[in-house]
Amino acid sequence: MTAPTPLVCLILLIPTSVEDRVVDWLLERSDERIEFSVHRVAARGPLVKLAGADERVQGFAERVEVKLILERELCLALVDSLRELLQGVDGGYWTLPVECFDTFGQLSAQAIAGGQA
């Protein structure tokens, strides 16, 4: 068994109305080593307020889930900045440890982490 990586997965659950704001903000950080993906999801739970009648009938709301893979220290700094960016927005986040990070292609995870091609 390999040792856990120093990486975490930061998962944001945000309203669709702020998707562009968050994605643009993340893309501006091209100098920071952040892997992320964006997905539309049907969400339900304490981070989700069912606003419209259709959401209440369906029992879930359309939200955007942003998954980021990054170093733990960078994650803490990003969360602080996101609190400012998303002040007053209904949404939230959680983190998970990343036990493994690798590729299927020709680039190795070590080359990606080191910024080499």
Side-chain angles (χ1 to χ4, degrees):
M1 180 130 196
T2 59
T5 70
L7 302 172
V8 295
C9 179
L10 171 62
I11 302 166
L12 311 176
L13 189 62
I14 56 174
T16 57
S17 61
V18 296
E19 176 181 5
D20 289 342
R21 184 187 332 170
V22 171
V23 170
D24 290 346
W25 183 83
L26 288 168
L27 291 172
E28 289 172 3
R29 276 142 190 76
S30 60
D31 57 324
E32 297 172 345
R33 307 220 44 86
I34 302 171
E35 296 284 331
F36 73 94
S37 60
V38 180
H39 314 271
R40 294 283 173 121
V41 297
R44 179 179 176 90
L47 299 178
V48 179
K49 292 182 181 173
L50 301 178
D54 59 332
E55 292 179 348
R56 289 191 296 277
V57 169
Q58 292 173 351
F60 61 86
E62 184 177 358
R63 293 292 184 266
V64 174
E65 185 178 80
V66 182
K67 294 182 180 179
L68 302 95
I69 303 294
L70 61 164
E71 292 184 358
R72 190 175 315 275
E73 294 77 23
L74 179 54
C75 176
L76 297 173
L78 267 169
V79 167
D80 285 343
S81 296
L82 282 165
R83 286 184 193 283
E84 211 171 293
L85 180 72
L86 298 175
Q87 189 172 12
V89 171
D90 289 332
Y93 72 94
W94 60 94
T95 63
L96 300 168
V98 174
E99 291 189 27
C100 179
F101 182 76
D102 209 341
T103 66
F104 294 113
Q106 294 180 351
L107 289 178
S108 70
Q110 186 176 27
I112 293 169
Q116 304 167 4

